[in-house]
Amino acid sequence: MSFLGKSLLDTDSLQPEQIFFLFEKARKIRDRKSSPAQNKTVALMFFEPSTRTRASFEMAAYRLGCHVLNLDPSRSSVVKGETIEDTAQNIEALGPDCIIVRHAGAGMPQQLSQRVKIPVINAGDGMRGHPTQALLDAFTILEERGRIEGERVLLVGDIMHSRVARSNFNLLTKLGATIGVCGPSTLRPELLGQKGYKLFTQLEEGLEWSTVCMLLRIQTERMESFQIPSMGEYNARFGLTPDKLRYFRDDGIIMHPGPVNRGVEITSSAMEDRRCRILTQVRNGVFVRAALLSSILGVEV
Ligand code: CP
């Protein structure tokens, strides 16, 4: 059960009781007003752009009263040729209590965790995994739908390039949800190496089936050649619009890990739908990450 002093590198290693332990702690953090004063420092090393994850870890650290050491790779000695491994060991030598890393290379957090003695938290590695996004998504489903077991979660869009899809597939099925998949065949999932999902070719059918609609960003930066005819064609077939939302249940929820391509995965008017929980996900991320940090660092909440 204990996270104390451990790394979080993927969702495979998480047991259901550990996940629910974190969720209970996240609720305590959400409902508490004051920050416990702590003498811990977390180091952020983001080698890929990020708005939500980086700021969310920073806010989570502040909620626990921790200090934050923020490495900006574009202004670091990485640009002079220092390796990521040497950079991590030098950051460790400065004395933080854990390192949070995002990198385009799949497996980089695992590799760094073997080179430093302090815990490493994976904040997204290539197309491989994004465990804390999956944790905050599961927490959001639990809070908004009242359960995870028995939920029908439809993953829509660029599943092939999505680390969010991989981590969510792993975590949500472990907690008893059923996964549906819908998107262009060129962006679909022999990839996930998973069995037991339902495949939908029409978004309307997937929406009728699902209780949770999780949209995924079209990741043009990871496509070797453009794998869809055009953004307009994608939006017409797989984009969430008010018209298509008529097929979605009244008490369902719409999710997207962000960043959103407005007018591609979802129209601005569909983002205004009362079932949309995209900003709720962002807000929950702070509590879930604070719960994880406090568990790893041994910070009382
Ligand atoms: N969801 C997510 O990982 O967003 P960022 O890339 O902005 O961190």
Side-chain angles (χ1 to χ4, degrees), residues 46 49-54 102 123 130 133 163-164 257-259:
F46 276 59
S50 168
T51 296
R52 280 145 290 272
T53 312
R54 181 182 176 134
R102 169 174 288 192
H130 195 347
Q133 179 71 44
R163 56 192 174 210
V164 174

Side-chain angles (χ1 to χ4, degrees), residues 137-138 140-156 168 172 177-182 200 203 206-215 240 245 248-249 251-256 275 277 281:
D137 288 342
T140 301
I141 293 170
L142 181 59
E143 292 293 288
E144 298 295 319
R145 292 273 313 153
R147 63 174 196 173
I148 298 172
E149 189 166 10
E151 287 298 288
R152 299 189 295 278
V153 181
L154 182 69
L155 303 178
V156 182
N168 262 311
L172 291 173
T178 306
I179 302 293
V181 164
C182 182
F200 295 95
L203 181 54
L207 287 170
E208 274 184 332
W209 169 83
S210 63
T211 56
V212 177
C213 173
M214 189 181 291
L215 306 169
L240 202 58
L245 270 172
F248 193 42
R249 58 193 295 137
D251 62 352
I253 59 169
I254 302 161
M255 301 172 71
H256 190 310
R275 292 164 284 187
R277 295 294 185 279
Q281 289 172 263

Side-chain angles (χ1 to χ4, degrees), residues 20-21 30 58 63 76 80 100 104 106 134 142 165 170 174 193 225 229 238-239 276 292:
F20 289 116
F21 167 80
R30 178 188 61 195
E58 203 163 334
R63 272 196 94 108
S76 78
K80 295 184 252 177
I100 299 163
L142 181 59
N170 183 285
K174 193 181 319 208
S225 60
F238 300 109
C276 188
L292 179 68

